[in-house]
């Protein structure tokens, strides 16, 4: 680290990482070669995303997004092994002074599966 670098500028100095949702374009930078990039950090993810993307049953019900399930599991695995993944509720304060972004996956009542509110950022699927 350079002499003038801010102490939080290095990934190993990060204490908390907030992931808005578990699509690869948001979570893929958490790991490098299967290891946690933010070695001391707690990763905070909305509870609806952890319930959906980390549940193997849902992968079979949503084959268009199988790659997202696989990526989310890989991205969070080293943090889960260290007990450093925290889910937060829609109205919760994630860490003191940081409110939830209130992003949630909704239940699609017209089918038996789950559907994201918007198109997938990585593949464009709905």
């Amino acid at each position: 680290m350079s002499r003038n670098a801010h102490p939080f500028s290095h990934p190993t100095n990060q204490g908390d990482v907030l992931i808005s949702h578990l699509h690869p374009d948001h979570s893929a930078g958490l790991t490098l070669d299967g290891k946690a990039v933010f070695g001391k950090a707690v990763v905070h993810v909305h509870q609806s995303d952890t319930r959906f993307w980390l549940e193997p049953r849902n992968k079979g019900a949503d084959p268009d997004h199988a790659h997202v399930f696989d990526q989310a599991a890989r991205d969070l695995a080293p943090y889960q092994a260290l007990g450093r993944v925290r889910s937060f509720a829609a109205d919760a304060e994630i860490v003191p002074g940081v409110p939830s972004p209130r992003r949630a996956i909704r239940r699609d009542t017209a089918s038996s599966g789950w559907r994201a509110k918007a198109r997938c950022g990585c593949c464009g699927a709905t």
Side-chain angles (χ1 to χ4, degrees):
M1 182 174 350
S2 77
R3 179 176 253 189
N4 296 326
H6 190 281
F8 294 115
S9 62
H10 196 273
T12 58
N13 293 334
Q14 301 304 311
D16 294 282
V17 174
L18 169 61
I19 301 297
S20 62
H21 60 283
L22 289 175
H23 281 174
D25 57 328
H26 292 260
S27 65
L30 291 172
T31 61
L32 181 62
D33 297 326
K35 295 184 180 160
V37 170
F38 305 100
K40 297 177 184 175
V42 172
V43 177
H44 301 270
V45 184
H46 192 282
Q47 67 186 5
S48 63
D49 269 40
T50 57
R51 286 179 185 161
F52 181 68
W53 296 113
L54 299 179
E55 174 54 56
R57 251 184 323 201
N58 294 332
K59 180 179 175 181
D62 194 355
D64 291 339
H65 286 94
H67 64 287
V68 180
F69 288 93
D70 295 339
Q71 185 75 43
R74 280 192 306 269
D75 294 340
L76 291 180
Y79 299 93
Q80 287 177 310
L82 296 169
R84 293 190 181 145
V85 175
R86 303 285 187 276
S87 296
F88 58 88
D91 295 325
E93 192 173 55
I94 300 164
V95 294
V98 179
S100 167
R102 299 176 190 253
R103 185 200 178 277
I105 294 177
R106 65 175 168 78
R107 179 91 168 131
D108 183 347
T109 57
S111 71
S112 61
W114 289 80
R115 303 292 293 181
K117 284 184 175 179
R119 289 191 175 277
C120 176
C122 57
C123 68
T126 55

